[in-house]
Amino acid sequence: MGRSPCCDENGLKKGPWTPEEDQKLTDYINSHGHGSWRSLPKLAGLNRCGKSCRLRWTNYLRPDIKRGRFSEDEERKIISLHSVLGNKWSRIATQLPGRTDNEIKNYWNTHLRKKLLQMGIDPTTHKPRTDLNHLMNLSQLLGAASFGNLLSPWNSALGLQADASQLARIQLLQNMLQVINTSTLLNMDNVGLLQNQNLNPFEGLNGTSTLYQKEPLLIGQEYLNQGVIPQAPSDSLGIFNSSSGFEGQFNTEDFLASNNSTSSLSSSACENQTENPMPALVSGSPGTYTVNQVESKTDPNQFLTQSSTSTSFEVWEKLKDDEISDFYWKDILESTPSSPSPMTW
DNA sequence: AACACTGGCAACCGCGAGCCA
DNA sequence: ATGGCTCGCGGTTGCCAGTGT
């Protein structure tokens, strides 16, 4: 049922606005203000409904609208805010002067969403994707990105492909570990190997994603201080920090609590994390703590050979055989006690 | 050159919240 | 307390330009 569309009545015009209509609307609002949107069209001499006028004004004609490409900074801000607020476009828009909610929404759907997906990040939860098809894509991305960097200095200059590559590495490794971790054949002795190493899995990566690098750590306190009330779309979020790697899990309650205290998140937040043992890439809070990290001495084959999941094994094989993978990536995957990886775990 | 396909974006639609009589 | 009205938000649609075949 529902209410009939406001524009159905009286044969009001719909569709694209003409320059004449734009002019009428602009002139009227400039001299009178919009007042009641419902009565505005009549007063301004427009054959439109008030809603259409409001939309046209707020999304297009408003003088303070910023046009043109989104900057990298704006991208980071959007992603970070989205990780906390979800699809609250109007709330996100309040943090981006000159950008409308509609513009941000469109930009998210057409650019950022795809970008995150390519990087192996679920744009809804901001967590690593875990489907096995995606694992294959990631290993391909690794190859393509490495190859691309060799050929094109522009990619490196822009930092885009390099970022995707680095994140993909992390992602792939994470996803593999996650698959391994959730494998029914995985025994608890192996789980033990994944824990309690005070080592940094991201040391050796030269920086991190330009999308995730700085802003995430800003969100918690800074945006809260600006009156941004979080409505975390996911049950838990993690923190990716360029200097210390993943730093724990996060949930809405902790986020809210962090508004009163900037101290580290409670350990229970970590312990309660069962649905997705791997942390997400975007933080919701400045609080930090260390989570399970993979031991450097662990031979991944130890897990994979025990797994009946052929797909993950194929991923592993494909990755190992990938001729254009970086040295250190191979090192990570094939590291043994006698040949320490350049990336300290 | 013509057609099909795709991506980006402006605009629309429906719903919920808030206000007020 | 209730119902009507308005506004704003988020999801969706449809047009159009660019690209591929």
Side-chain angles (χ1 to χ4, degrees):
Chain A
M1 293 300 192
R3 179 172 32 177
S4 64
C6 61
C7 301
D8 281 356
E9 47 190 285
N10 304 330
L12 294 173
K13 190 181 173 195
K14 292 200 287 185
W17 280 64
T18 65
E20 291 75 29
E21 286 177 314
D22 282 347
Q23 196 57 51
K24 275 185 183 175
L25 182 58
T26 307
D27 288 347
Y28 181 84
I29 291 178
N30 282 342
S31 48
H32 302 93
H34 64 73
S36 162
W37 285 112
R38 196 169 174 83
S39 55
L40 181 146
K42 220 166 237 174
L43 296 170
L46 289 160
N47 189 30
R48 296 264 182 180
C49 68
K51 204 171 181 176
S52 181
C53 293
R54 178 174 54 80
L55 227 53
R56 184 62 180 173
W57 175 256
T58 55
N59 288 336
Y60 197 81
L61 297 174
R62 237 173 51 198
D64 59 330
I65 285 182
K66 196 196 280 182
R67 295 262 155 225
R69 269 189 62 85
F70 280 76
S71 67
E72 235 180 71
D73 212 50
E74 286 176 312
E75 282 190 9
R76 272 198 296 271
K77 223 170 195 175
I78 294 168
I79 292 170
S80 297
L81 285 163
H82 186 271
S83 75
V84 178
L85 298 168
N87 293 358
K88 302 291 179 194
W89 305 116
S90 60
R91 302 284 295 287
I92 293 171
T94 62
Q95 304 299 314
L96 290 150
R99 300 295 188 183
T100 69
D101 53 355
N102 204 39
E103 197 179 7
I104 294 169
K105 178 173 61 181
N106 283 335
Y107 190 68
W108 174 268
N109 287 329
T110 56
H111 294 96
L112 297 179
R113 208 170 161 278
K114 288 174 193 166
K115 213 166 185 174
L116 293 186
L117 283 170
Q118 269 187 345
M119 287 159 62
I121 298 161
D122 184 330
T124 311
T125 62
H126 292 259
K127 290 177 182 176
R129 294 170 68 194
T130 55
D131 54 292
L132 290 174
N133 283 341
H134 174 60
L135 291 181
M136 294 301 291
N137 292 340
L138 274 174
S139 72
Q140 284 162 9
L141 174 59
L142 287 181
S146 303
F147 191 59
N149 283 340
L150 284 175
L151 294 179
S152 168
W154 293 108
N155 290 333
S156 299
L158 291 170
L160 294 175
Q161 193 144 18
D163 287 334
S165 168
Q166 284 162 1
L167 260 168
R169 284 176 185 141
I170 297 162
Q171 285 282 282
L172 180 54
L173 192 55
Q174 275 204 333
N175 286 327
M176 289 170 62
L177 291 170
Q178 189 155 7
V179 168
I180 293 161
N181 208 18
T182 53
S183 161
T184 52
L185 293 181
L186 180 66
N187 64 43
M188 293 311 289
D189 290 338
N190 286 338
V191 173
L193 290 172
L194 298 172
Q195 299 178 336
N196 300 324
Q197 296 302 308
N198 188 24
L199 297 166
N200 179 4
F202 302 97
E203 204 171 294
L205 291 179
N206 297 326
T208 60
S209 166
T210 55
L211 297 177
Y212 281 89
Q213 201 163 18
K214 313 166 196 169
E215 204 67 18
L217 300 176
L218 278 178
I219 292 179
Q221 205 58 43
E222 200 163 295
Y223 289 151
L224 268 174
N225 290 342
Q226 293 170 22
V228 178
I229 309 299
Q231 294 180 316
S234 56
D235 56 340
S236 64
L237 297 169
I239 296 165
F240 184 69
N241 178 319
S242 61
S243 61
S244 56
F246 287 119
E247 295 180 349
Q249 304 294 335
F250 175 82
N251 64 32
T252 313
E253 282 67 34
D254 285 314
F255 189 101
L256 291 166
S258 76
N259 198 20
N260 298 322
S261 163
T262 54
S263 62
S264 298
L265 297 170
S266 68
S267 59
S268 63
C270 182
E271 289 161 8
N272 291 339
Q273 228 319 310
T274 53
E275 181 203 318
N276 185 349
M278 293 300 170
L281 295 179
V282 173
S283 89
S285 159
T288 61
Y289 60 94
T290 305
V291 290
N292 302 346
Q293 288 167 333
V294 182
E295 183 183 24
S296 62
K297 295 170 188 172
T298 305
D299 177 2
N301 284 315
Q302 186 179 341
F303 300 95
L304 290 162
T305 50
Q306 295 180 38
S307 171
S308 62
T309 312
S310 62
T311 319
S312 59
F313 186 74
E314 285 162 17
V315 171
W316 170 250
E317 284 305 313
K318 180 165 168 48
L319 189 67
K320 280 179 60 176
D321 293 338
D322 191 345
E323 290 183 3
I324 52 179
S325 289
D326 288 353
F327 264 159
Y328 92 75
W329 179 239
K330 282 197 168 185
D331 257 32
I332 296 164
L333 298 171
E334 298 181 352
S335 67
T336 63
S338 58
S339 61
S341 162
M343 184 162 105
T344 315
W345 287 82

